Amino acid sequence: MRYHSPPTQLLLVVVTLLLTTSVRRLVYNYLLQVPPVNENLSYDGYLSTGIIACCCGFLGIFLVNLSGIRFIFVCYTLTNILCAASVVSYYLQGPSAFQFVAMLINSIGYDIGRVATLVVVLAYPGEKWKARALAAYLLVEYFSITMGDVIAMVNPGSTHQRYHLSIAYLCLALLAPIPALAIAPSDQVVRDNGVYLVTPKTTLLTELRQTAKMFTNKYMLLLVPYMFSYPFLFGSAEVEFPNIKAIVLYDAGKLFIVFMSQMLDVRWTGRRTRGLVGLALLIVFFAASIGSTAALRLIKYDLSGIDMTWSHDKIAKFVMGKVFNEQYVLLMTSYFLAGAASSFIELYGYWVMGTLTNDLKSSGRFVGTYHSTMAIGGLIGYQTTNRTEHGAYTSNIPMFIAIPLTCCSLVCMYFIVRRITETNDWTLGRMNYRGYGSQIEPERSSETIVITDVKYVHTTDSTHSRATTR
């Protein structure tokens, strides 16, 4: 059997994502002249696509674990080709049912592909690279959107130019299946030290049973409030971006996760201590972000010019105009802090999940649940505010419900981080040791790692790991 190194596989995933997600985010708003929104990719305020995102995280669990990583990426590239073809069709014959169906299918493909990507990013890098790999992936996503928004706002271009760019987009999309097909099965990925991933065969019934069983796991029960609360808070705050500077500041704040990933990865102290320090910093940024947002909401503005017969959007624009003119510095600061807090919360959540499980399929269940729960929280937050009468004017109520909920979720996260154990440089798979070329000495540890369905006991006097079903 031929073995493949994790860096090579991650490079193939990166190339696939650059030809799919990144290119689409760069040109989509420009090609279809969609007003930029620059919202977090993990949750969606639109009802239809939000419901899709809520379902696709759980669907991604079964598809990733039953079909494998390569199958998911190949399918995602095909949905992206369909999306690119629909854009060309738009310029040839105008809006059509084909375009709507293609966008819907691509939305499903993207959400499931994101689950597969995060599973790979959690599983393949060594322990000392895990947070940095997550940060790199998240930043590519974030800044693809930002650059696309800026392009759409700065240079609308002519119809002729956009048509030719749509053809170039389709050509790039047609290249994406090539690196996707080169991605190896996960059980053929081997580290230099001989540690490799074992992904035992599973069935739909087993996946349904194990996914349901996760919700009886104490770690998952403590994680669910964390997964739900901040997207709900973000949605209920109804963040809008009045200009390019606000968009750029929001994503500039996300660069903070580069520092945080270094702090979580570099072994300046034990992993539990790093996790606790990271949680403390997260709380500081969360408090600063919430404080600036609450201050903007609590300041009294002259709203006498509002006509209560106006639509929700018109009232929102009026209120934003008042805030923009009277509290410009505080408003721009709040965008920067919101970007830093939202990205760090997402990075930290995935990093903690990587410390809880050393099994590829369990990792898929955690990631899929996290993705769907975040989508549910964001969708409920947006819909609660938008369905409140004149929501932009009275939306303080759902936001101030979300703040204590998020605070409680951070307390739950503290109890999870306290249970983090020290591990060696292991993947998220069932640990076996085999040398290709020479006998590899196993990485030594005397700890026990508890995951959702298997307990692995690693001993210092044996060259093999022992696994027992719980």
Side-chain angles (χ1 to χ4, degrees):
M1 181 184 294
R2 182 181 178 184
Y3 302 121
H4 305 268
S5 68
T8 302
Q9 297 305 301
L10 287 170
L11 180 61
L12 290 171
V13 171
V14 167
V15 174
T16 302
L17 294 176
L18 288 175
L19 292 171
T20 51
T21 302
S22 295
V23 173
R24 179 180 181 275
R25 296 293 180 178
L26 280 172
V27 302
Y28 182 79
N29 286 350
Y30 173 75
L31 291 175
L32 297 183
Q33 295 295 284
V34 177
V37 292
N38 197 260
E39 295 168 355
N40 192 301
L41 290 172
S42 300
Y43 30 94
D44 195 326
Y46 300 105
L47 185 60
S48 58
T49 51
I51 292 174
I52 290 173
C54 296
C55 298
C56 284
F58 292 115
L59 180 61
I61 297 174
F62 304 113
L63 291 179
V64 169
N65 287 349
L66 292 172
S67 304
I69 299 296
R70 177 167 56 188
F71 176 80
I72 299 300
F73 280 116
V74 171
C75 289
Y76 175 42
T77 61
L78 295 179
T79 66
N80 195 67
I81 292 172
L82 193 64
C83 174
S86 73
V87 175
V88 176
S89 170
Y90 170 79
Y91 281 97
L92 293 176
Q93 61 184 27
S96 63
F98 169 66
Q99 183 188 6
F100 174 79
V101 173
M103 296 303 178
L104 184 66
I105 293 174
N106 182 244
S107 178
I108 296 172
Y110 164 74
D111 285 311
I112 296 174
R114 192 170 194 265
V115 172
T117 303
L118 286 164
V119 170
V120 169
V121 173
L122 278 177
Y124 287 2
E127 197 63 48
K128 61 182 179 181
W129 294 101
K130 203 175 298 294
R132 280 175 282 189
L134 282 166
Y137 164 68
L138 293 173
L139 287 174
V140 168
E141 275 197 332
Y142 296 152
F143 283 94
S144 296
I145 295 183
T146 299
M147 293 173 65
D149 286 349
V150 171
I151 291 170
M153 294 177 73
V154 172
N155 181 24
S158 66
T159 302
H160 183 72
Q161 290 173 327
R162 295 197 299 272
Y163 169 66
H164 283 86
L165 183 59
S166 69
I167 295 176
Y169 168 37
L170 177 59
C171 292
L172 288 173
L174 289 169
L175 296 175
I178 298 174
L181 286 168
I183 296 172
S186 55
D187 60 356
Q188 295 180 18
V189 178
V190 183
R191 297 229 183 114
D192 291 338
N193 60 0
V195 177
Y196 73 112
L197 289 166
V198 174
T199 52
K201 299 295 183 180
T202 186
T203 64
L204 178 60
L205 182 60
T206 300
E207 286 304 312
L208 287 170
R209 186 186 302 115
Q210 294 298 333
T211 302
K213 187 178 177 181
M214 284 185 65
F215 290 95
T216 64
N217 180 279
K218 60 182 178 182
Y219 296 116
M220 177 54 73
L221 294 177
L222 289 171
L223 272 172
V224 167
Y226 181 90
M227 298 173 180
F228 175 87
S229 59
Y230 190 80
F232 177 70
L233 174 61
F234 190 93
S236 62
E238 200 174 23
V239 177
E240 296 183 5
F241 299 87
N243 55 22
I244 293 177
K245 186 175 181 180
I247 294 174
V248 171
L249 281 172
Y250 179 70
D251 274 350
K254 293 178 179 179
L255 288 171
F256 177 72
I257 63 174
V258 174
F259 164 74
M260 293 311 305
S261 64
Q262 293 283 343
M263 190 275 297
L264 292 171
D265 274 347
V266 177
R267 294 178 177 177
W268 52 276
T269 185
R271 193 165 65 162
R272 180 186 303 162
T273 303
R274 280 179 276 147
L276 291 171
V277 172
L279 181 60
L281 289 172
L282 187 154
I283 292 172
V284 169
F285 271 84
F286 167 74
S289 176
I290 292 302
S292 62
T293 303
L296 288 170
R297 293 302 184 93
L298 293 174
I299 292 174
K300 299 297 183 181
Y301 303 99
D302 181 13
L303 302 178
S304 57
I306 291 180
D307 185 340
M308 299 308 287
T309 63
W310 288 354
S311 67
H312 173 278
D313 290 340
K314 190 172 182 179
I315 292 179
K317 290 179 180 179
F318 181 88
V319 174
M320 176 56 71
K322 285 287 186 180
V323 176
F324 186 83
N325 293 327
E326 298 178 21
Q327 299 294 335
Y328 181 79
V329 175
L330 181 59
L331 179 64
M332 294 298 113
T333 302
S334 71
Y335 285 121
F336 177 82
L337 293 172
S342 63
S343 59
F344 186 22
I345 282 178
E346 190 169 11
L347 170 75
Y348 190 78
Y350 285 118
W351 180 82
V352 168
M353 282 192 293
T355 70
L356 293 179
T357 173
N358 57 350
D359 178 83
L360 187 66
K361 295 189 182 299
S362 295
S363 179
R365 296 173 197 130
F366 270 100
V367 170
T369 303
Y370 195 2
H371 183 88
S372 282
T373 307
M374 289 181 71
I376 292 170
L379 180 64
I380 292 176
Y382 278 111
Q383 293 300 317
T384 299
T385 299
N386 291 335
R387 294 178 184 277
T388 302
E389 185 178 3
H390 307 299
Y393 182 63
T394 60
S395 59
N396 284 350
I397 295 175
M399 189 185 75
F400 289 133
I401 292 174
I403 290 175
L405 180 62
T406 307
C407 292
C408 292
S409 75
L410 295 174
V411 175
C412 294
M413 181 60 80
Y414 168 75
F415 289 105
I416 297 175
V417 176
R418 283 188 60 191
R419 299 299 302 272
I420 289 178
T421 59
E422 304 302 321
T423 67
N424 289 326
D425 192 17
W426 290 336
T427 56
L428 298 178
R430 186 171 298 165
M431 301 305 155
N432 290 274
Y433 300 96
R434 60 184 175 190
Y436 45 103
S438 63
Q439 179 64 35
I440 303 297
E441 181 70 13
E443 302 172 63
R444 297 183 179 275
S445 175
S446 59
E447 67 176 349
T448 299
I449 306 172
V450 180
I451 60 174
T452 56
D453 53 357
V454 178
K455 181 168 64 176
Y456 293 92
V457 181
H458 302 276
T459 61
T460 58
D461 56 354
S462 173
T463 58
H464 299 280
S465 299
R466 183 175 75 253
T468 58
T469 304
R470 296 180 68 183

